[in-house]
Amino acid sequence: MSETTVIIRVRDNGPYVVEGAVQVLDAEGKPFSIPAGKPAFALCRCGHSRTKPFCDGSHRTAGFQASERAPTS
Ligand code: FES
């Protein structure tokens, strides 16, 4: 079994940026189309995107604010 690394970066006031070989499935298990050849894609977390589950930049005009930090150990 090969080990695959997926990185999800939480952007301040913006989306989750996903890097790595992953699939995004809808509630019925059908895959969303992810542009081939791109190193990353962004998932909406503000709820305002017109292309959910992907970010379309609407978080900017919606004034979405979130800047969580992981706890330090
Ligand atoms: S996070 Fe970008 S549109 Fe929602």
Side-chain angles (χ1 to χ4, degrees), residues 13-16 42-50 54-60 64:
N13 310 319
Y16 297 115
L43 292 174
C44 177
R45 69 175 177 133
C46 76
H48 292 277
S49 175
R50 289 165 300 229
F54 302 102
C55 171
D56 70 354
S58 294
H59 58 271
R60 293 185 197 100
F64 178 66

Side-chain angles (χ1 to χ4, degrees), residues 13-61:
N13 310 319
Y16 297 115
V17 177
V18 181
E19 301 172 37
V22 299
Q23 285 189 307
V24 179
L25 306 178
D26 69 12
E28 297 175 347
K30 293 184 291 189
F32 285 94
S33 180
I34 296 174
K38 289 187 113 183
F41 61 91
L43 292 174
C44 177
R45 69 175 177 133
C46 76
H48 292 277
S49 175
R50 289 165 300 229
T51 60
K52 293 182 190 82
F54 302 102
C55 171
D56 70 354
S58 294
H59 58 271
R60 293 185 197 100
T61 54

